[in-house]
Amino acid sequence: MKVKKAVIPAAGYGTRMLPITKAQPKEMVPVVHKPVIQYVVEEAYYSGIRDILIITGKGKRAIEDHFDRSDLPKKDKYVDELDRILEEVDIFFVRQKEQKGLGDAVRYAESFVDDEPFALLLGDTITFPPCTKELIHAYNRYKTSIIAVEEVPTERVSLYGIVACKEIENNVYLIEDLVEKPSVDEAPSNLAILGRYILTPEIFDCIHETKPGKSNEIQLTDALRILNTREKMYAYLFKGKRYDIGNKLDWLKANIEMALEDEEVGKEIREFIKSMGV
Ligand code: UTP
């Protein structure tokens, strides 16, 4: 079965981005020209997906408004690009009733997904080139759940979900286990889950069976561990860029790096940074 649907959870509190996120969703925080969630929707689109479900919640209404067709008096190339995409995609919204964790948020996609494999893209993470496109390509070979990972420095493993796995071919690993935020000593590898997944609908039964874990939240990683006992799961090593917009330091770094590479402002930003003599 082809991957035709995407799910984007965007209902989390975003406490690490306070006070920026006090009255606006973390997913609407700007990165150079666009809010984060626009990059995520565009990634799904450029990966061939035309049906997208965004999971929102309390205080997240700006996300829905952002994906209305614009009736602005002035033209803007980024708005036009989005309008063009909106011509072709259907975006659906569902509200997570309580912010009970990523696993709980994904549960709300069950009737939208039905019996098809689907792409899951975290709403606060940007990838270049589109990681989902590569994942779908890999899924088409393996036809089972496959999750994107990236290499992280060993001293940072305790910030991520880490996979225990063995390489079966270039960039593809068979997952043996998944560990949420292990200590450096306990980490089975330095391959970190980066927020892009292709999952089979079996994940929903696994979520229903998952008990609340850390911070009393339903953790997606716990549900994935159950899934791993029921079907083969693979990890795909993504070699592109991944920007985490969930914390201030990485968000600022993403803005600098992406502004430097931007065709419109890159040259001036580079000169500006040089002129600062830092
Ligand atoms: P995070 O793990 O960064 O959690 O979510 P958070 O609550 O948004 O942020 P902090 O920890 O309070 O700073 C990863 C993704 O999962 C979504 C978020 O919106 C984000 O895109 N999420 C998280 C939900 O949709 N619902 C939840 O209950 C938790």
Side-chain angles (χ1 to χ4, degrees), residues 10 40-41 59 66 79 85 87 110 115 145-146 150 164 178 251 265:
V40 182
V41 165
H66 188 73
V79 173
I85 290 174
E87 288 272 313
E110 189 166 3
D115 60 352
S145 296
I146 181 156
E150 64 176 351
L178 306 97
W251 165 61
V265 298

Side-chain angles (χ1 to χ4, degrees), residues 9-16 26-27 96 99-102 105 123-124:
Y13 285 115
T15 51
R16 287 167 298 155
K26 156 170 81 166
E27 295 76 12
Q96 187 184 14
Q99 281 136 318
K100 289 202 299 191
L102 178 57
D124 62 353

Side-chain angles (χ1 to χ4, degrees), residues 4-278:
K4 293 184 300 206
K5 295 176 180 174
V7 174
I8 305 178
Y13 285 115
T15 51
R16 287 167 298 155
M17 291 290 280
L18 281 169
I20 299 166
T21 47
K22 186 162 177 274
Q24 69 169 334
K26 156 170 81 166
E27 295 76 12
M28 288 300 293
V29 165
V31 180
V32 193
H33 299 289
K34 310 175 208 173
V36 185
I37 189 113
Q38 186 171 335
Y39 291 96
V40 182
V41 165
E42 288 175 0
E43 174 177 335
Y45 173 78
Y46 289 116
S47 304
I49 282 166
R50 297 294 178 264
D51 281 324
I52 299 172
L53 176 72
I54 302 181
I55 297 159
T56 68
K58 197 163 175 274
K60 300 279 185 169
R61 214 173 296 160
I63 296 178
E64 295 180 36
D65 292 343
H66 188 73
F67 292 105
D68 280 339
R69 287 278 318 269
S70 88
D71 48 7
L72 296 167
K74 194 174 172 296
K75 285 198 85 58
D76 173 87
K77 75 172 185 190
Y78 302 102
V79 173
D80 290 349
E81 185 189 7
L82 182 57
D83 277 347
R84 251 194 335 273
I85 290 174
L86 293 175
E87 288 272 313
E88 288 185 54
V89 299
D90 283 323
I91 303 187
F92 303 85
F93 296 93
V94 62
R95 286 165 80 89
Q96 187 184 14
K97 292 193 184 85
E98 280 176 86
Q99 281 136 318
K100 289 202 299 191
L102 178 57
D104 179 68
V106 175
R107 188 173 63 81
Y108 285 77
E110 189 166 3
S111 59
F112 168 80
V113 163
D114 199 16
D115 60 352
E116 296 178 29
F118 65 102
L120 178 68
L121 299 82
L122 298 196
D124 62 353
T125 298
I126 299 173
T127 70
F128 284 117
C131 177
T132 302
K133 193 171 182 180
E134 295 180 23
L135 266 188
I136 290 176
H137 194 72
Y139 171 85
N140 290 340
R141 269 172 71 84
Y142 292 93
K143 303 268 187 302
T144 184
S145 296
I146 181 156
I147 65 186
V149 295
E150 64 176 351
E151 278 175 341
V152 296
T154 308
E155 63 276 13
R156 285 176 62 89
V157 287
S158 59
L159 299 173
Y160 301 94
I162 300 289
V163 292
C165 54
K166 60 170 188 274
E167 189 164 13
I168 54 162
E169 68 165 308
N170 219 3
N171 299 335
V172 179
Y173 299 77
L174 181 67
I175 295 181
E176 287 161 347
D177 202 1
L178 306 97
V179 202
E180 188 60 34
K181 302 189 172 69
S183 65
V184 173
D185 300 336
E186 287 162 351
S189 76
N190 67 338
L191 297 177
I193 300 172
L194 65 81
R196 296 293 185 260
Y197 315 71
I198 306 293
L199 299 176
T200 60
E202 280 69 35
I203 188 66
F204 297 109
D205 281 346
C206 302
I207 293 173
H208 290 305
E209 288 169 37
T210 302
K211 305 260 171 335
K214 235 177 115 248
S215 328
N216 215 21
E217 293 188 343
I218 308 279
Q219 302 288 342
L220 182 65
T221 308
D222 291 340
L224 290 171
R225 291 189 80 182
I226 299 176
L227 185 64
N228 193 42
T229 63
R230 301 191 180 163
E231 65 178 34
K232 271 190 179 169
M233 282 174 63
Y234 293 93
Y236 171 77
L237 180 58
F238 178 61
K239 297 267 180 72
K241 281 271 177 197
R242 176 257 203 181
Y243 299 104
D244 175 10
I245 315 298
N247 69 80
K248 285 183 196 164
L249 187 61
D250 286 336
W251 165 61
L252 290 170
K253 285 184 187 170
N255 269 288
I256 295 168
E257 232 180 288
M258 286 170 61
L260 282 171
E261 281 162 24
D262 187 74
E263 54 178 33
E264 206 175 305
V265 298
K267 192 165 165 283
E268 281 180 59
I269 294 289
R270 193 169 298 274
E271 280 161 15
F272 172 67
I273 291 176
K274 268 194 203 141
S275 76
M276 288 166 63
V278 285

